[in-house]
Amino acid sequence: MSIRKPFRVRALAVILITAVLAIAPALAQNTAKPILHGKHWVAVTGKPLGATAGAKMFERGGNAVDAAAAMLAATATMWDTLGWGGETQALIYNPETGEVIGVNGVGVAPTGATPEFFRDQGMLYPPEYGPLAAVTPGTPGSLMVMVAEYGKLSLAEVLAPAIEMAEGYPIEKAQADNMERRREVIEQWPSSREVFLPHYDPENPDQRAAPREGEVFVQEDLANTLKKLVEAEQQALDEGKSRKEAIQAAYDRFYTGDIAEEIVSATREAGGLFTLEDLAEWEVKLEEPVTTDYRGIDVYKLTTWTQGPVMLQALNILEGFDLKAMGHNSARYIHTLYQAMNLAFADRDFYYGDPYFPPEEPIEGLLSKDYAAERRKLIPEDQNLTEYLPGNPYQFQAGDNPYEELRQNWQIVPPDAEAEGEEGFQQAHLMDFEEGFRAGTTAIQAADADGWVVSITPSGGWVPAFIAGESGIGLSQRMQSFVLDEALNPYNVVAPGKRPRVTLTPSMALKDGKPLMAFSVQGGDTQDQNLLQFFLGMVEWDMNVQQAAEGLGNIMSYQMQSSFGAHQAEPGRLEVPKEMTTPYTRAALSKMGYDVEVVERVYNPTQAIWFDWDNGTMQGGASDQGEDYGIAW
């Protein structure tokens, strides 16, 4: 014993030093941007001009909902990375009722969009771009419903910055170059070509066709469409209608009037499936979000038509571990985090879909703490788990699993789509795996002194979008998130009138009934991985909001199935940041079977608002990746 005791002391000292060194970088992390401090309001989004649009609404006496809607309109006009024909997902905290409201603004598959239809085109999944890639437009309706139900300003006031921008604004380099990069796709649709490629000359193919950085980018058709909405509102007001009724008149003009007619006509002429009934019958859903309690904090997400519940499932699994004792970004911590995410994402990939289509997703069981405890038992101590299935949440709620046989035969890696090799299929998948997995959008956070809080993750209709004729509306590309084979996900098989399971996932957390933080991020299937780590950074690792938003220590798993393109997965692939992990940690992870990729930094453009109740103020944070930007007062 006298010989072994000093060895045990030395070993314990090494463990303690390793833990301290692992957590120290997180606690001492410098940030590229300062925290935004605001007493009256905070507005954060993906572009500086977008944040300015939100600030304008506050200055006009609007609330956080008005500001968020104006930022949504502005970023859609800037195609960052969404267009007006895309989809909007939002959480709103109403201080008058103390409730969190979910806004379901994703479009639906049009008439005729069936698995058989796409298979007949030689496709294994719906296409990524073009008129066949579009679900019905959701962003215009979502914006108008939010402003009508919870805002203070008129639609004309909220849309004013976007209309001015559509009439011409100096375009930023990233988007201008993106248009040029995608010109081969854009060229095939005349309406898109006229907007995105103003210098297009078929006689000079080497000449730049897209606008240049700083050039005034004009979208006359879009400006006219937005003005039509304002005209409809004003006409209704002139007729003595209420504010809400007037905004409804604008809504009706878009979805049942001349705007709808132009969208449907242009889309069908280009080979799309939209009908007037598809647009007229679609509606925004105001719904109750799902939630879980993590160490006394209530975390809210939209339900299974998004990937949002996956973060709640991961939190339920992680709650059973003493994460702080592991040390930030230690091998043990990274391994535990990676495994919890993968188990939750396996359920996402099999069980999530449109809750308005039967059978109902087993959300009660999926969010059960007892179910999380069962899933937690699967995590091995010293290896990456790759042989696993989605769980059976029906054991933790009423009913039997209607797809138990499919669950038992499910595979982490779906069929290799590229092996199909058919021309139509090849045309349907233009993004490579990594681009699709991290596909960008934007995010929006807004809060005010009266207590209104908004978190939005909009998307769809990004460049290269198919623009529907003279409407100026770039349509969504969200059809690709459906599957055609029920063996992959029986809840997310495409059908007319059905919503695809989207990656877009705004987030909100309350403590003791009061808002604690609002946070969201762009980035496809990486979103809830980054948001989970943002939340843990704030709650477990005592980071401030800007440190957590920049997320220098974040890791990334590619073990889940992509929601885009060929829906691929790469089990075992793990990105870790060079400066926030030690060589010892990386070696230990490799021994566990991980394919460790050391990167300068994991892609993580998170933005957030934190509520400092001790001082009665708000703190905004925006990642320094990309052009995310905030303004506070």
Side-chain angles (χ1 to χ4, degrees), residues 182-447:
R182 294 296 195 183
R183 63 180 290 173
E184 289 187 7
V185 181
I186 294 169
E187 286 174 3
Q188 63 186 301
W189 307 309
S191 295
S192 300
R193 186 175 64 234
E194 290 175 10
V195 173
F196 298 133
L197 306 177
H199 308 300
Y200 175 75
D201 182 355
E203 301 298 324
N204 295 290
D206 295 331
Q207 173 182 299
R208 183 181 175 96
R212 296 168 178 82
E213 178 186 5
E215 181 179 334
V216 175
F217 177 51
V218 177
Q219 303 170 78
E220 183 178 349
D221 287 340
L222 176 60
N224 289 336
T225 291
L226 298 180
K227 290 175 183 177
K228 288 179 180 179
L229 301 179
V230 173
E231 289 171 2
E233 178 191 44
Q234 187 59 53
Q235 183 177 351
L237 291 172
D238 291 344
E239 295 172 356
K241 300 289 181 64
S242 68
R243 171 183 173 276
K244 185 180 293 188
E245 289 171 333
I247 297 175
Q248 181 64 47
Y251 182 106
D252 291 341
R253 184 168 186 180
F254 188 95
Y255 287 97
T256 64
D258 58 335
I259 300 173
E261 291 171 358
E262 175 63 15
I263 290 173
V264 169
S265 174
T267 302
R268 294 186 69 84
E269 183 178 342
L273 299 174
F274 281 4
T275 68
L276 289 172
E277 290 75 19
D278 291 331
L279 270 65
E281 294 175 3
W282 179 84
E283 62 179 358
V284 179
K285 301 283 188 182
L286 298 179
E287 57 190 29
E288 183 178 355
V290 292
T291 185
T292 196
D293 174 283
Y294 181 84
R295 309 196 196 285
I297 298 173
D298 296 315
V299 187
Y300 290 83
K301 287 283 195 173
L302 297 167
T303 192
T304 55
W305 57 276
T306 75
Q307 69 173 340
V310 77
M311 178 179 154
L312 307 184
Q313 288 190 245
L315 285 172
N316 286 343
I317 294 171
L318 291 170
E319 195 173 31
F321 294 99
D322 186 349
L323 300 179
K324 288 184 177 179
M326 298 178 185
H328 183 261
N329 275 20
S330 67
R332 177 73 172 164
Y333 174 72
I334 292 173
H335 169 70
T336 302
L337 179 62
Y338 187 97
Q339 298 300 312
M341 290 194 300
N342 292 344
L343 289 170
F345 272 94
D347 287 340
R348 180 205 73 166
D349 291 340
F350 186 78
Y351 287 113
Y352 288 19
D354 186 352
Y356 299 97
F357 257 67
E360 184 179 357
E361 288 75 8
I363 189 64
E364 180 183 350
L366 289 168
L367 295 182
S368 163
K369 297 284 190 178
D370 291 335
Y371 176 67
E374 287 297 310
R375 297 293 274 171
R376 191 181 304 124
K377 294 175 184 177
L378 296 176
I379 298 179
E381 290 188 3
D382 58 358
Q383 65 179 22
N384 178 35
L385 183 66
T386 57
E387 298 296 326
Y388 61 91
L389 296 171
N392 188 5
Y394 289 91
Q395 295 176 345
F396 300 88
Q397 66 172 58
D400 298 322
N401 193 333
Y403 300 114
E404 179 61 17
E405 184 176 349
L406 292 178
R407 184 184 77 88
Q408 291 290 345
N409 292 297
W410 184 82
Q411 299 177 10
I412 297 175
V413 181
D416 184 2
E418 298 303 327
E420 291 288 312
E422 298 183 22
E423 182 180 356
F425 179 79
Q426 294 289 352
Q427 290 176 350
H429 298 280
L430 302 175
M431 288 191 291
D432 62 27
F433 168 67
E434 288 195 19
E435 184 180 5
F437 196 85
R438 297 196 295 256
T441 175
T442 195
I444 297 166
Q445 320 302 312

Side-chain angles (χ1 to χ4, degrees), residues 61-63 65-66 147 150-154 157 243 448 450 452:
N63 65 11
V65 178
D66 299 311
V147 172
Y150 307 110
K152 296 169 62 179
L153 300 180
S154 68
E157 291 173 300
R243 171 183 173 276
D448 62 42
D450 290 333
W452 289 95

Side-chain angles (χ1 to χ4, degrees), residues 90-107:
L91 292 171
I92 299 174
Y93 176 76
N94 183 343
E96 298 172 2
T97 63
E99 296 177 321
V100 178
I101 303 110
V103 179
N104 179 338
V106 66

